[in-house]
Amino acid sequence: AVKTGMNTLHMLDGLSIKPDPLGLVCIIAPWNYPFAMCFAPLAGAIAAGNIVVLKPSELTEGTASFLAEELPKYKSLGQYIHIINGAKDEVGEILKHKFDHIFYTGNGMVGRIVMAAAAPFLTPVTLELGGKSPVIIHESSKGYLEYAARRVLWGKFVNCGQTCVAPDYVLVPQSLEKDFIAALRKARDEFFALNGKEPNAVPTTPSAATEPVDSPAFKAIMSSTSYSRIVNGRHWKRIMDLTTADSGEIAIGGESDEATKFIAPTVLTNVKLDGPIMKDEIFGPLLPIIPYKNDSDVVSFINARDKPLALYIFSHSKTFTEDVLSRTSSGGVTINDVMMHVGSTYIPFGGVGESGMGRYHGKYSFDTFSHQRSIMHKSINGLGEKINGNSRYPPYTDSMTNLVRKLI
């Protein structure tokens, strides 16, 4: 138990907070980082003293099977963790049971199903749902545009864009749009296409749409051990459907191979704001670039959409940065980089609004899976009872009332 401060009224009492286990909790994990996203909440749940029903994603069968086979071998853990593998039907059966907390990571549609299933039992939920996390490039970052492009491109295309806090789209000043796209192309070639070769081995044509599928750049990215693939054929098709003319024009990339579930790092311009690519979280290696005229346009654009899980601001203007922070809402923020706030265990991670509810990481995971039990330990003796008689028990006199007012 943790001792607390006290006011005058309770100066003779002992006050403390004791974190108690919630009891039986359910963790439903996603497929994009199947091992890490099982263990991040699991560590907090076990540390808090709970019994856990863990449901790994059925889309990453290897990880799910590994966990089911290996975790029970550790008897100190096996008695507290029960793994259930399966798909939609199994999740439905799990949610028919009463839990003391449900932790779900995934999309908003399933998040609503989880929340509805928890409601009859009044079970609290943590929902980590994602969303369209914007990147803002401010005019004041002009001198560091190449650095910004490298960081954005890394965050967007690591794990092939299949990250809940990946940059979803970039807002860039009209005057910097071409330079920023050129910087993205340079970063793409350095990260994936050069593959250890000399820079002149990769074409630097102004539009990657002109790069044929047998170009050195395409072949190098395909063979790069630093570039991932899409998790399955259904998601590959979903992402490819977003590269049509209804979304915008391909400025970089666009190449794909269905057999290997490959989609090249792709940048789109002249994006149609009412097109399919701007409706839902992309969750893939497509990066829309949206130019803006005035600083005020940025906040209006972001606030016209659901609150994102993350917001990224590249700016050397403290005034602009503070203005954006004060007028927008998001789960978390990284300034002059992307996604790095997620790696700290000293700050909470979680969404707001459509991007989720609840928080975890580090101590905040422990808190999520604990009940903070308030405890007051009162002394029982002559002095304490005399104080009670003068300030608590009837009959109530004017002097007693005045004393209580002062104490409170």
Side-chain angles (χ1 to χ4, degrees):
V2 178
K3 292 184 178 180
T4 71
M6 62 185 67
N7 54 25
T8 306
L9 187 62
H10 300 119
M11 61 183 181
L12 298 180
D13 306 324
L15 300 176
S16 62
I17 301 171
K18 180 178 181 294
D20 282 350
L22 293 178
L24 178 64
V25 304
C26 176
I27 297 174
I28 304 174
W31 52 261
N32 56 331
Y33 294 91
F35 192 86
M37 297 304 291
C38 280
F39 274 84
L42 180 62
I46 293 298
N50 297 284
I51 303 295
V52 181
V53 171
L54 177 63
K55 168 60 180 68
S57 174
E58 71 279 6
L59 299 185
T60 46
E61 296 178 7
T63 301
S65 298
F66 174 83
L67 293 174
E69 293 170 7
E70 295 300 321
L71 273 183
K73 295 179 182 179
Y74 297 88
K75 294 183 179 180
S76 59
L77 284 177
Q79 58 184 320
Y80 302 111
I81 306 170
H82 304 273
I83 298 174
I84 298 178
N85 282 326
K88 180 181 177 181
D89 291 342
E90 284 75 14
V91 172
E93 285 299 316
I94 291 172
L95 293 177
K96 290 179 181 178
H97 297 273
K98 176 178 172 57
F99 291 94
D100 297 294
H101 195 95
I102 300 176
F103 189 106
Y104 167 77
T105 303
N107 62 57
M109 180 185 71
V110 178
R112 286 172 168 81
I113 295 172
V114 170
M115 199 168 184
F121 302 109
L122 296 179
T123 298
V125 297
T126 298
L127 303 178
E128 299 292 345
L129 304 180
K132 297 185 76 65
S133 298
V135 176
I136 303 169
I137 305 294
H138 187 247
E139 184 74 29
S140 61
S141 294
K142 183 176 181 179
Y144 303 91
L145 206 59
E146 187 172 318
Y147 300 156
R150 288 169 63 85
R151 295 180 181 193
V152 170
L153 189 121
W154 167 79
K156 180 60 181 181
F157 299 119
V158 67
N159 202 32
C160 220
Q162 298 165 121
T163 306
C164 62
V165 289
D168 196 88
Y169 61 91
V170 180
L171 297 168
V172 61
Q174 286 182 342
S175 60
L176 298 181
E177 182 182 11
K178 290 183 178 179
D179 290 341
F180 185 70
I181 292 174
L184 287 172
R185 178 185 294 281
K186 181 180 179 182
R188 178 208 66 165
D189 292 348
E190 291 177 354
F191 289 178
F192 307 118
L194 290 179
N195 212 23
K197 300 176 182 177
E198 293 299 316
N200 59 12
V202 179
T204 55
T205 52
S207 172
T210 63
E211 294 177 5
V213 293
D214 59 351
S215 72
F218 174 68
K219 289 181 178 179
I221 298 171
M222 276 281 287
S223 62
S224 172
T225 56
S226 300
Y227 191 69
S228 304
R229 297 296 185 268
I230 303 304
V231 66
N232 59 26
R234 178 171 65 87
H235 279 283
W236 182 91
K237 186 178 186 307
R238 175 189 64 80
I239 296 167
M240 287 304 301
D241 286 345
L242 298 177
T243 63
T244 65
D246 291 335
S247 292
E249 300 174 6
I250 295 176
I252 299 175
E255 304 92 349
S256 64
D257 180 63
E258 185 172 5
T260 59
K261 304 180 188 66
F262 170 85
I263 301 176
T266 300
V267 176
L268 296 98
T269 58
N270 296 319
V271 175
K272 296 182 179 180
L273 302 183
D274 59 349
I277 201 166
M278 292 305 295
K279 291 188 183 301
D280 297 314
E281 183 180 8
I282 296 170
F283 221 70
L286 312 180
L287 183 63
I289 307 297
I290 302 169
Y292 65 89
K293 293 182 180 180
N294 305 307
D295 289 354
S296 59
D297 297 339
V298 170
V299 171
S300 300
F301 190 91
I302 293 172
N303 287 343
R305 288 154 178 78
D306 292 330
K307 295 177 181 179
L309 183 56
L311 171 64
Y312 306 118
I313 308 169
F314 286 85
S315 169
H316 286 270
S317 168
K318 185 176 180 180
T319 300
F320 174 79
T321 301
E322 291 299 326
D323 182 62
V324 172
L325 291 177
S326 65
R327 297 171 59 201
T328 60
S329 177
S330 65
V333 179
T334 295
I335 298 169
N336 291 327
D337 210 332
V338 299
M339 304 205 307
M340 298 305 291
H341 66 290
V342 180
S344 174
T345 57
Y346 293 94
I347 54 177
F349 173 73
V352 59
E354 288 286 326
S355 61
M357 61 181 67
R359 58 184 188 171
Y360 73 125
H361 284 194
K363 175 184 179 297
Y364 303 97
S365 296
F366 181 90
D367 291 343
T368 288
F369 293 105
S370 301
H371 168 62
Q372 303 302 315
R373 193 178 188 186
S374 300
I375 300 173
M376 175 183 285
H377 189 168
K378 295 189 70 68
S379 59
I380 180 164
N381 52 42
L383 176 60
E385 198 62 13
K386 184 176 181 181
I387 292 174
N388 284 334
N390 291 335
S391 62
R392 176 173 160 187
Y393 300 146
Y396 300 122
T397 64
D398 290 342
S399 59
M400 182 186 293
T401 303
N402 291 333
L403 175 62
V404 170
R405 284 174 177 169
K406 290 179 180 179
L407 291 173
I408 294 176

